[in-house]
Amino acid sequence: MMNKMRTKKTNFHLLFILFFCSAKIAFAQQDSSFFYTQYNSPLPNNNVTDILLMPNQKDKWVATWGGGITKFTGKNWQTFNTKNSAISSDFINEIKTDSKGNVWCATNQKGVDKFNGKSFIHFEIGTTNTVLCLGIDKFENVFVGSYNEGLFKLKNNVFEKIWGGDNALKYAIESICFDKENNLWMSTGKGIYFSSDKINFKKIIIDSTLKKQKVAFGITTDAQGNIWCATFPSGTLQKWNGKNWEIFEESATKFLKNKTSNPSKEYFKHAFYMDNKNNIYLSSQRNSLMRFDGLNWFSLTDQKQNNSVFATVAVDTAGHIFAGSWGDGMMTLQQQSLQTISTTDLSEKLNRKINDKIFLETKNNKASISVFDHGIVDGDEISVYVNDVEVINNYILTADKKTVEINLQPNSENRIVIVAHNLGSQPPNTTSIILSIDGNKKRYDLNNDLNKSAAIVIKTK
């Protein structure tokens, strides 16, 4: 009975699950992306509902719909399900971590589980135990949003109800966040609610479209204290600045890169994430996974990947994207091919001048670069940036070539910047690059010092 009531993670996706479970092993053909599935990896289930990046940025907890949770270190997988552990359910909606490293799991019909690294502790939530989301404030208070019973708070090891009513769909809490003042915000079937004392809640009407949107599938806050939400059913991205809402529908239509669809006509899903640079990532029915940087929209997936329905997304500090899908497992995506170029910002970040030395044109969006020392091997140390994203970090050059694959932005100028970290024992810092593109290999010898960096500019058509 309860599964039929699910609006977020069940009936809506059944057709996708049945269709895609059979043949998605070699789904992403781009060099920058890869799909982990239960067929090519130890991922316990292809329905990935949430991805939690731990503070060390290396360990990832992956929640699934039917396979429990699994810890992924990049090499090893450790799965906890109802067969091999005391976790109460294999159907997990969301996972969060607190400052002690405990992993909290919101389950579909079994309440909440807390994993302390050794064992699971179970908590009942209301009468139905269907939990959609979790929130942990700066004082380590734990809140849970239920499907049909409102908001609960952990007090003396018991979750007590602090807000909500009896009407199931109206009080479904989809997501919880806290702003810089530790105020609680939540998106519900009745709209956005706000509370400064966690007791009294005020409704914030979403009315910038004059359509009075009632449902927001995602909600988050930026460093400036603005509240962002993705609405349904019209599919808009909106920002609350404390006084009014700003809608980004027109900018989505105008600036979408790789125009496979119009975001203003989308139905945004649960996947909703803000990285440390205030870029927002969200998914939709037609365009799968997108990024919004405050001005421009970018389509992050190709036509084949747009068939996937993404339920969650997370981005580490290096800009690598991890996206969980319904039926296709977990996709990893290198951010280097998605960034807009900002030479000024990179120059300020590196505290040196960037000189464009070499200019090329191509119709190809894929290339590879190999770096080595073209002079005497004397300990020259470099980093390499492609479109402001570091692809080689603090590497000491030798006579042997180090090669990385790169993706170029279409219809753009792409910059490869060489950054010297020292001058070696015999200045200057000498770097050779072999650029492989359009079936040809071209060698360039560049000299750098600690005040300026040489760049190769590749214009794609």
Side-chain angles (χ1 to χ4, degrees), residues 6 8-9 13 36 43-54 59-72 77-78 80 87 90-98 102-108 113 131-136 143 145 174-176 217-219 269-274 281 283 309-315 321-332:
R6 297 283 293 148
K8 181 179 177 183
K9 295 190 166 73
H13 302 290
Y36 291 96
L43 183 71
N45 194 282
N46 282 341
N47 303 313
V48 176
T49 55
D50 200 13
I51 299 171
L52 171 64
L53 299 178
M54 298 301 283
D59 297 336
K60 304 160 191 68
W61 284 90
V62 181
T64 71
W65 187 258
I69 61 174
T70 186
K71 181 180 180 181
F72 178 49
W77 303 74
Q78 184 179 14
F80 299 91
I87 194 171
D90 290 330
F91 296 86
I92 312 298
N93 290 330
E94 190 171 274
I95 48 179
K96 290 286 177 66
T97 185
D98 57 29
N102 298 309
V103 176
W104 295 79
C105 307
T107 77
N108 188 42
D113 287 330
V131 182
L132 300 185
C133 61
L134 295 152
I136 303 174
F143 299 82
E174 295 284 347
S175 56
I176 298 171
F217 275 108
I219 186 169
K269 299 299 180 298
H270 175 61
F272 190 78
Y273 185 89
M274 177 174 286
Y281 301 79
S283 67
V309 177
F310 290 101
T312 186
V313 62
V315 184
I321 298 173
F322 302 87
S325 71
W326 284 96
D328 295 331
M330 180 175 71
M331 181 183 75
T332 62

Side-chain angles (χ1 to χ4, degrees), residues 402-416:
K402 178 179 179 63
T403 302
V404 294
E405 305 292 325
I406 62 174
N407 289 297
L408 305 174
Q409 293 186 44
N411 302 312
S412 302
E413 286 188 350
N414 299 262
R415 278 181 176 78
I416 303 172

